[in-house]
Amino acid sequence: MHQRPVYRMFDTVVKRVEDITPRMRRVSLYGDDLEEFRSDRPGQWIKLFFCDSDSGRAFTIRQWDPASCELVVDFVRHGHGLAGRWVRDAQPGTSVRLAGPRSDFQHRPGSKLFLFGDETALPAISAIVEDLPATAWVMAVVEVADRCAIQQVASRASVRWHWIVNAQHEPGEPLADYVRNLTLGAESTQVWIACECNAARALRAEYRQMGSDKKSLHVSGYWKKGAAEHVDQESDY
């Protein structure tokens, strides 16, 4: 029987808090414990344990600086759930435990990379894009609720950004419709998807029907409409 690996716990405190868009809050964490922390690829995630809870919530590492032992996480502010309440009230000195990092995704040099996600996936998409070499080709398609959520992300790579403003439809519907209309070559292509659970599940099924294998397709439902705390048991991460 496959057992999930056990990750070390790290004790951290909030060092800085800033709002980078009206709904995205950036929290910088620091701790002497983090001298032993290792993160070797962009887009990895950690679990944060809020308010002494034994149940962790997964969040992407936006930035990691081993020299200063500082780890940055970007949160979409929605105000509900344990994580939402914690990030709403977070201030310098607030404590939080974390475990990780973890991720099965790694960019394959020479492949065309397609990144599809919504606002919750923007921290991971940004971290991946920033790390790509100048020789990389990537398309990033991001669904947001309004144009205030759009961010400028620097990269050495050739990046084609497409922003979808969804103010009327169900979450993930415009993103899924756009992705379905793209023609992607099966060879030398990687597809990374993270969005609302139902949209992610539908896109995973469609890409697998088109012949995408597990090595080139990475899909996760980051959240689920109507669920305060969602864990995607089908995630490829």
Side-chain angles (χ1 to χ4, degrees), residues 148-168:
C148 292
I150 295 174
Q151 299 181 30
Q152 299 298 316
V153 182
S155 179
R156 296 166 295 176
S158 175
V159 186
R160 299 183 181 183
W161 288 94
H162 184 79
W163 299 90
I164 300 172
V165 177
N166 178 14
Q168 301 179 11

Side-chain angles (χ1 to χ4, degrees), residues 11 26 37 48 61 68 71 75 79 82-83 93-94 151 162 167 188 196 206-207:
D11 293 315
R26 177 164 292 171
F37 187 83
L48 295 177
I61 300 170
S68 63
L71 188 151
F75 298 82
L82 187 60
T94 301
Q151 299 181 30
H162 184 79
S188 301
E196 196 277 333
E206 290 182 27
Y207 272 107

Side-chain angles (χ1 to χ4, degrees), residues 13 16 71 102 110 138 141 145 147 162 184 202-203 225 233:
V13 296
R16 286 187 305 278
L71 188 151
R102 180 179 177 182
V138 57
V141 181
R147 298 196 67 82
H162 184 79
L184 311 184
L203 288 171
K225 184 180 178 181
Q233 301 295 344

Side-chain angles (χ1 to χ4, degrees), residues 215-226:
K215 291 183 179 180
S216 61
L217 180 63
H218 304 265
V219 185
S220 185
Y222 272 11
W223 61 286
K224 185 175 183 178
K225 184 180 178 181

Side-chain angles (χ1 to χ4, degrees), residues 41-235:
R41 67 183 70 170
Q44 287 185 302
W45 54 270
I46 54 176
K47 278 199 171 182
L48 295 177
F49 296 80
F50 304 107
C51 307
D52 296 324
S53 171
D54 291 328
S55 179
R57 306 292 188 269
F59 292 92
T60 300
I61 300 170
R62 180 62 182 85
Q63 296 170 350
W64 162 240
D65 184 356
S68 63
C69 294
E70 189 170 331
L71 188 151
V72 176
V73 181
D74 288 353
F75 298 82
V76 176
R77 300 176 62 187
H78 47 68
H80 60 266
L82 187 60
R85 293 189 295 271
W86 183 90
V87 74
R88 178 195 63 198
D89 300 331
Q91 56 185 318
T94 301
S95 62
V96 64
R97 294 179 300 150
L98 65 86
R102 180 179 177 182
S103 176
D104 293 329
F105 172 79
Q106 189 165 16
H107 176 242
R108 194 166 60 231
S111 66
K112 288 187 174 181
L113 178 60
F114 294 85
L115 303 170
F116 305 131
D118 60 18
E119 202 167 338
T120 65
L122 190 50
I125 290 173
S126 299
I128 293 169
V129 164
E130 286 179 346
D131 189 72
L132 291 171
T135 55
W137 184 99
V138 57
M139 172 180 281
V141 181
V142 185
E143 179 183 302
V144 295
D146 56 55
R147 298 196 67 82
C148 292
I150 295 174
Q151 299 181 30
Q152 299 298 316
V153 182
S155 179
R156 296 166 295 176
S158 175
V159 186
R160 299 183 181 183
W161 288 94
H162 184 79
W163 299 90
I164 300 172
V165 177
N166 178 14
Q168 301 179 11
H169 303 281
E170 287 294 307
E173 282 188 0
L175 176 68
D177 288 342
Y178 186 91
V179 171
R180 289 186 184 104
N181 289 324
L182 290 175
T183 301
L184 311 184
E187 296 182 1
S188 301
T189 295
Q190 282 185 287
V191 177
W192 184 101
I193 300 169
C195 54
E196 196 277 333
C197 180
N198 293 316
R201 181 180 294 116
L203 288 171
R204 177 192 287 111
E206 290 182 27
Y207 272 107
R208 286 186 175 169
Q209 286 179 354
M210 289 188 289
S212 296
D213 58 32
K214 290 185 177 181
K215 291 183 179 180
S216 61
L217 180 63
H218 304 265
V219 185
S220 185
Y222 272 11
W223 61 286
K224 185 175 183 178
K225 184 180 178 181
E229 309 291 355
H230 169 69
V231 177
D232 184 6
Q233 301 295 344
E234 301 174 3
S235 174

